[in-house]
Amino acid sequence: MSRPLHPAPDETHHPALQSWVASANDPATDFPIQNLPFGRYKSARDADWQIGVAIGDQVLNLHATGLIEHNNIQALMRLLPSERRRLRLALSQGLRVGSPQQTVFQAALLAQAEVRMGLPCEIGDYTDFYTSIHHATTVGKQFRPDSPLLPNYQWVPIGYHGRASSILPSGDSFARPRGQTKAPDPAAPVLSACRRLDYELELGVLVARENRLGEPIDMAQAEDHVWGVSLFNDWSARDIQAWEYQPLGPFLSKNFASTLAPWVVTLEALAPFREPFSRPPGHPAPLPYLDAAANQTQGAFNIELEVWLQTAAMRQAGHAGDCLSRSNYRDAYWTLAQLVAHHTVNGCNLRAGDLLGTGTLSGPLPNQGGSLLELSQGGKQTLPLSNGETRTFLEDGDTVVLRGYCQAEGFRRIGLGECRGTVAPART
Ligand code: CA
């Protein structure tokens, strides 16, 4: 099935656009007027969740602009793509230098430093995929040196159902999990605090529009059901995982905490950063239900990703932390549209607020691993840090910060903000 190409960049993406919000014109901001991501916040004057739009170092109360008649994020997510583009245009026009709405919008602004951001919406079901072939191969080598990549990988977007109850907003800490682990020698496992605690650099794909049970979403419609993407850290307990994962996959090694960034960067905002999507030479074409011309020409997204680590000692010394790795979402083996089409091919219904994790987004090079499991080669290689400390896995007090941004010739750089979480000691 063919369909017109995705909407091309329009006037809202014009690189020369400037906002009357001065901080939005700072070349270093993640949130220039070309971005306009959505999130939820509470403030001293708002006890209930408010829908906010990030602009520079400010947040704009969407309801107070008069552009929507409610303060219901679920209703916002259900908008048709054409309605979402109209809203984006209206926000862009209201925030531009010289806008006649400046006075009304000005009254709807708060400093981001004065609000508390939450999860971007109530998360419904959470599914985690495994879309980086580089991650799958490197990790597979550690568990199965002879056959790192199982034969289904090229055909099935591998995933499992996770839990939404333990998804945390950025900035929260969580206790190091306890669980069953088993060393090779003793016959019996023990219950202990995790000793191989890890992060996973992922993107969270927020589902906006539901499909009915029994009615699959095809590739041509898949992206119409997606709101946007947000940085996502799927914390993982590698020692618990190694003992429990067969035969049904990860369980308690994954569901103790995951951290989601506050800002959802919409697919509309990402229009200038689409790229052709292709498979490595020699790989089979996906089955027809996972293939589409538009997916080949524009299905990938150029999103640069970074993992930063700030240890407790660094924090005490005022040290911002070390960048541990960089990768790019364009290197994923399955696209966002393919995840939606595959998830629903059996008739499974997605709902507004469902979260699809991409899986760890590692790049092709060894230093582009999106987890410590990869960077430390399963704990065998110690990572030196710039302040003299070292790591194989995470220690108590470590803060992991994920960052992401998009840049392309002829367009304004936009960012995804940050996804931040801190490891607290295990409960005794
Ligand atoms: Ca994961």
Side-chain angles (χ1 to χ4, degrees):
M1 179 185 291
S2 69
R3 71 170 268 168
L5 293 182
H6 302 286
D10 57 31
E11 65 171 271
T12 66
H13 302 93
H14 198 285
L17 276 188
Q18 297 264 304
S19 175
W20 49 261
V21 179
S23 58
N25 306 321
D26 179 345
T29 185
D30 276 354
F31 309 120
I33 192 170
Q34 292 84 354
N35 192 348
L36 305 174
F38 294 103
R40 285 193 311 176
Y41 72 88
K42 289 181 180 179
S43 72
R45 69 184 187 204
D46 304 295
D48 297 324
W49 289 117
Q50 303 292 308
I51 305 175
V53 178
I55 179 77
D57 62 7
Q58 305 288 300
V59 53
L60 181 73
N61 183 309
L62 184 58
H63 186 216
T65 62
L67 294 178
I68 58 170
E69 289 167 2
H70 58 78
N71 191 33
N72 180 340
I73 199 123
Q74 292 275 338
L76 180 73
M77 292 162 72
R78 288 203 184 88
L79 294 179
L80 295 167
S82 58
E83 296 169 323
R84 293 202 327 224
R85 283 195 293 279
R86 272 204 295 280
L87 177 61
R88 176 179 166 82
L89 178 60
L91 281 166
S92 174
Q93 288 170 336
L95 287 164
R96 284 177 204 175
V97 168
S99 167
Q101 292 149 287
Q102 178 171 344
T103 311
V104 175
F105 276 40
Q106 187 98 54
L109 278 186
L110 287 96
Q112 283 175 30
E114 286 168 25
V115 306
R116 179 166 70 84
M117 299 301 302
L119 294 171
C121 59
E122 297 298 322
I123 306 298
D125 283 308
Y126 158 44
T127 303
D128 202 19
F129 284 94
Y130 200 49
T131 67
S132 165
I133 195 169
H134 308 296
H135 173 73
T137 305
T138 307
V139 172
K141 265 184 204 151
Q142 293 182 19
F143 289 93
R144 298 173 302 274
D146 298 334
S147 60
L149 208 59
L150 295 171
N152 60 1
Y153 192 85
Q154 297 177 342
W155 300 100
V156 181
I158 301 292
Y160 69 94
H161 284 124
R163 279 190 71 79
S165 62
S166 51
I167 294 175
L168 305 172
S170 181
D172 276 15
S173 58
F174 64 92
R176 176 179 295 272
R178 286 156 56 81
Q180 274 199 33
T181 60
K182 187 183 166 304
D185 306 335
V190 295
L191 178 68
S192 70
C194 168
R195 282 183 292 267
R196 289 160 67 95
L197 184 61
D198 203 355
Y199 58 79
E200 290 191 334
L201 167 63
E202 302 198 16
L203 284 171
V205 177
L206 275 301
V207 174
R209 301 182 61 238
E210 63 189 26
N211 60 305
R212 286 210 196 113
L213 182 65
E215 295 183 3
I217 302 170
D218 64 25
M219 284 291 286
Q221 312 298 325
E223 288 193 2
D224 292 351
H225 291 259
V226 172
W227 189 20
V229 300
S230 198
L231 294 163
F232 185 58
N233 184 344
D234 183 32
W235 305 97
S236 298
R238 301 303 183 191
D239 42 2
I240 299 171
Q241 185 178 358
W243 171 231
E244 75 171 7
Y245 90 104
Q246 287 178 317
L248 284 184
F251 180 34
L252 301 184
S253 56
K254 297 282 191 175
N255 67 8
F256 56 94
S258 308
T259 305
L260 185 64
W263 297 112
V264 178
V265 174
T266 62
L267 292 193
E268 291 77 42
L270 293 170
F273 310 104
R274 288 180 170 277
E275 294 195 348
F277 175 75
S278 62
R279 290 200 146 183
H283 284 236
L287 291 180
Y289 83 95
L290 292 172
D291 207 359
N295 194 57
Q296 293 173 20
T297 54
Q298 293 187 296
F301 292 90
N302 171 9
I303 303 177
E304 300 277 354
L305 300 162
E306 297 176 351
V307 181
W308 290 74
L309 173 68
Q310 186 192 47
T311 68
M314 288 174 174
R315 195 157 44 249
Q316 222 153 27
H319 182 314
D322 286 353
C323 182
L324 297 186
S325 71
R326 293 187 166 88
S327 64
N328 193 303
Y329 184 39
R330 64 152 75 97
D331 291 322
Y333 193 80
W334 297 101
T335 65
L336 189 152
Q338 288 171 323
L339 301 188
V340 172
H342 182 67
H343 205 310
T344 60
V345 71
N346 65 346
C348 175
N349 52 326
L350 297 178
R351 293 181 292 197
D354 284 356
L355 177 69
L356 312 182
T358 57
T360 308
L361 294 172
S362 303
L365 303 173
N367 63 0
Q368 293 178 319
S371 67
L372 286 173
L373 184 66
E374 291 155 272
L375 297 178
S376 75
Q377 297 169 28
K380 290 202 279 284
Q381 184 84 35
T382 300
L383 271 70
L385 302 178
S386 64
N387 68 342
E389 291 183 279
T390 61
R391 285 292 179 276
T392 48
F393 291 98
L394 296 170
E395 305 284 340
D396 292 348
D398 283 356
T399 295
V400 175
V401 182
L402 310 182
R403 297 201 170 96
Y405 57 92
C406 305
Q407 48 192 9
E409 189 67 31
F411 290 97
R412 179 72 154 87
R413 173 195 180 280
I414 65 170
L416 280 71
E418 61 173 41
C419 176
R420 176 182 290 265
T422 300
V423 181
R427 293 195 181 87
T428 49

